[in-house]
Amino acid sequence: RLLETKTKVCLLCYLALRKKTKNIPVGDGWWRVGEKPLSEDRTIRPFVVETSEEMIQDLHQRINQTRYTESLEDGRFHYGFNSAYLKKVAKYWRHEFDWEKQVRVLNKYPHFKTNIEGLDVHFIHVKPVQRAGQKVLPLMMVHGWPGSFYEFYKILPLLTETEGDFVFEVICPSIPGYGYSEAPHTQGFTCLDAARIFHKLMDRLDFSDYYVQGGDWGAFITCSMALMKPECIRGLHLNMVNAKAGGALSIISLLVGRYLPFLVGFTREDVCRIYPFMQKNVYKILRESGYMHIQATKPDTAGCGLNNSPVGLAAYILEKFSTWTDYKNRDLEDGGLERKFSLDDLLTNIMIYWTTGSIIPSMRFYKENMGANFQKTMDNTTKIHVPTGLAAFPHELLHCPRVWARSRFTDIRSYTYMPRGGHFAAFEEPVLLAQDLLQFVKKVESKRPK
């Protein structure tokens, strides 16, 4: 009987452990039309961003032919991108922006492509300046929409030229369908598929364990990477948190939290960022999520116009860089764009979409991911057990308190209330993001077995 009891206990412990460490199935994929070949080309090829006089002339001609609609009096950015300021952006783009110079900037770091699951996947691979005694740690950083790998150009020197105990070797891929990564040719490409492809990319680069960092879609993809192969993830760092208390606990937290925050685990900063609840979490999101409904339902229809008008594309994308950086920018005639960014940097990101014709496949990513019960899919509900660092920027679209984050991330090593910044953290506040990432990794590495 004793042996039988011990056996039952061991079996229950095993099942509980399996349930606790439940992984998302890795699976496989093929994103071209036709049969998957028996062998795969694993070659990693150098890639160089190029341009041509014909491309620039076509761009200039299309800018010249733009038709504008006058803004309403005192409309500012409340109706979308202000037409008066849009004319200024277009004028700068047409007469002062130097795309050939920016191509040289893009080629500052080494670019590569490799074919995974039938797609040519683009990435930059930046090796560090290693000092004596420094440990080199691999790090993958994943962008979102409407960004690109270029978002990370200002943070890269801060991670690859450090003076501490470790330094990063950074890989920044383009999500398939974005920029220089080939778009899927068949339906159904989701964050899970991107996560699997990026794991394969790191394996192809001979990395067995690594850190991952992301915001926007990059946060969803890196979370899926942590669920899919947690043994490969040394740590997960996010600047956008997808977690919620859930059910009755969420309602109780919101009802009580404003008046007795300590009872539900809220801090004073949480209260400032969450309340008034309806204004910050309902009305604000309703005003800012129209693009999401379009892209999650009919991306090809809206994308057609954007793919043919560079100024239309700029208005559509740059409006997000205005409002998602600070919601109060809607009250400004110029949308506050040049407070955090230069027009050269903003237009370089636009040009990556324009020259590759990738706006439609980038928008399709919403439709593929945001099907029925998006928030209830396995990759959005399964607990994550890898060491996690969370950077909560004050102007992110939604705020997630640490007490809510614990419901999904079981091993939070750091949670930082960032003093400023919004959705595009690496682009807006590279120093702050780098500092938070470095302190998180230092905590993780200090507790790893020697």
Side-chain angles (χ1 to χ4, degrees):
R1 285 184 178 179
L2 181 61
L3 180 60
E4 184 180 353
T5 302
K6 286 184 176 179
T7 303
K8 287 181 179 179
V9 170
C10 289
L11 180 59
L12 289 172
C13 290
Y14 170 72
L15 291 174
L17 184 62
R18 282 200 60 182
K19 184 176 181 181
K20 181 180 178 182
T21 59
K22 182 179 179 182
N23 293 359
I24 298 292
V26 175
D28 203 359
W30 180 249
W31 303 104
R32 304 194 74 83
V33 177
E35 293 289 327
K36 182 177 181 179
L38 296 177
S39 60
E40 185 178 34
D41 179 9
R42 297 175 59 87
T43 305
I44 296 175
R45 312 179 304 278
F47 171 75
V48 177
V49 180
E50 296 179 338
T51 187
S52 66
E53 186 61 31
E54 292 76 18
M55 180 187 295
I56 295 173
Q57 287 180 358
D58 176 72
L59 171 69
H60 288 172
Q61 182 180 0
R62 291 172 185 264
I63 294 175
N64 290 339
Q65 294 175 342
T66 302
R67 298 191 303 173
Y68 298 92
T69 300
E70 293 301 316
S71 298
L72 294 173
E73 182 181 9
D74 199 31
R76 293 170 282 180
F77 264 56
H78 289 284
Y79 287 78
F81 206 104
N82 182 284
S83 294
Y85 183 64
L86 183 60
K87 290 178 182 178
K88 176 187 174 182
V89 172
K91 182 179 178 181
Y92 181 87
W93 198 359
R94 172 64 180 83
H95 298 288
E96 298 181 54
F97 179 72
D98 188 342
W99 175 232
E100 292 179 331
K101 175 185 174 183
Q102 293 306 113
V103 165
R104 292 192 293 273
V105 172
L106 290 177
N107 287 322
K108 172 183 177 180
Y109 295 113
H111 294 247
F112 301 90
K113 284 190 177 184
T114 188
N115 196 275
I116 304 175
E117 297 188 5
L119 301 176
D120 277 342
V121 178
H122 161 263
F123 62 98
I124 59 172
H125 185 175
V126 187
K127 296 188 177 181
V129 178
Q130 187 179 7
R131 303 175 189 273
Q134 276 189 326
K135 181 192 296 185
V136 176
L137 299 172
L139 166 68
M140 174 176 278
M141 304 187 78
V142 185
H143 67 89
W145 188 92
S148 66
F149 66 92
Y150 183 61
E151 289 180 66
F152 302 118
Y153 268 50
K154 290 181 181 178
I155 199 174
L156 284 170
L158 306 175
L159 301 175
T160 58
E161 302 173 23
T162 66
E163 295 183 356
D165 295 333
F166 55 84
V167 67
F168 293 105
E169 183 171 348
V170 186
I171 296 87
C172 301
S174 294
I175 300 170
Y178 288 69
Y180 303 111
S181 277
E182 186 177 1
H185 299 267
T186 57
Q187 298 179 37
F189 187 87
T190 68
C191 287
L192 283 174
D193 301 303
R196 183 180 62 250
I197 283 177
F198 290 164
H199 270 308
K200 289 183 177 181
L201 171 60
M202 295 301 274
D203 177 68
R204 196 165 291 187
L205 293 170
D206 294 324
F207 295 121
S208 58
D209 61 338
Y210 33 88
Y211 285 89
V212 289
Q213 198 285 328
D216 196 83
W217 282 125
F220 285 89
I221 292 170
T222 51
C223 283
S224 293
M225 292 176 74
L227 288 167
M228 191 173 287
K229 297 181 73 174
E231 69 277 8
C232 293
I233 305 300
R234 294 173 79 101
L236 167 69
H237 187 274
L238 305 173
N239 56 276
M240 189 183 83
V241 185
N242 177 36
K244 56 184 179 180
L249 179 59
S250 178
I251 296 172
I252 293 170
S253 296
L254 293 172
L255 289 175
V256 176
R258 187 171 189 175
Y259 307 101
L260 298 169
F262 60 92
L263 289 181
V264 293
F266 285 1
T267 65
R268 290 183 179 179
E269 186 63 27
D270 291 328
V271 173
C272 290
R273 295 189 184 191
I274 293 174
Y275 300 98
F277 179 79
M278 292 300 291
Q279 283 85 342
K280 291 186 177 181
N281 298 271
V282 180
Y283 302 144
K284 173 183 172 182
I285 296 304
L286 284 174
R287 291 190 186 101
E288 293 304 316
S289 59
Y291 82 99
M292 186 185 300
H293 296 285
I294 292 172
Q295 294 176 193
T297 53
K298 303 293 178 66
D300 288 27
T301 303
C304 182
L306 304 179
N307 199 40
N308 282 277
S309 169
V311 176
L313 178 67
Y316 193 74
I317 288 180
L318 294 185
E319 185 254 316
K320 304 307 177 194
F321 279 88
S322 166
T323 309
W324 294 359
T325 298
D326 188 340
Y327 188 67
K328 294 179 182 178
N329 284 342
R330 296 167 73 247
D331 297 326
L332 305 175
E333 291 291 333
D334 63 356
L337 276 168
E338 295 178 72
R339 291 183 171 188
K340 284 290 185 77
F341 313 107
S342 70
L343 286 181
D344 280 343
D345 282 339
L346 292 169
L347 290 171
T348 297
N349 183 63
I350 300 297
M351 286 294 286
I352 291 171
Y353 281 88
W354 176 256
T355 58
T356 59
S358 58
I359 186 61
I360 291 177
S362 76
M363 293 164 68
R364 286 175 181 162
F365 201 53
Y366 282 79
K367 182 170 179 61
E368 303 293 16
N369 279 287
M370 303 186 75
N373 297 320
F374 170 64
Q375 290 294 334
K376 296 182 180 179
T377 58
M378 187 181 295
D379 53 315
N380 282 317
T381 56
T382 307
K383 290 183 182 295
I384 293 174
H385 301 287
V386 304
T388 304
L390 305 174
F393 284 85
H395 297 302
E396 183 55 271
L397 294 172
L398 286 173
H399 175 66
C400 178
R402 180 170 185 154
V403 67
W404 288 4
R406 286 198 200 112
S407 68
R408 186 169 189 223
F409 303 95
T410 65
D411 189 8
I412 298 175
R413 302 291 178 90
S414 75
Y415 181 103
T416 310
Y417 295 98
M418 306 304 283
R420 60 185 180 275
H423 188 70
F424 304 98
F427 215 27
E428 296 174 51
E429 299 290 347
V431 174
L432 288 181
L433 184 63
Q435 289 173 346
D436 195 68
L437 179 58
L438 287 165
Q439 64 84 25
F440 161 67
V441 172
K442 185 175 182 179
K443 289 179 180 178
V444 176
E445 290 297 309
S446 68
K447 293 187 177 182
R448 285 180 64 88
K450 303 297 182 181

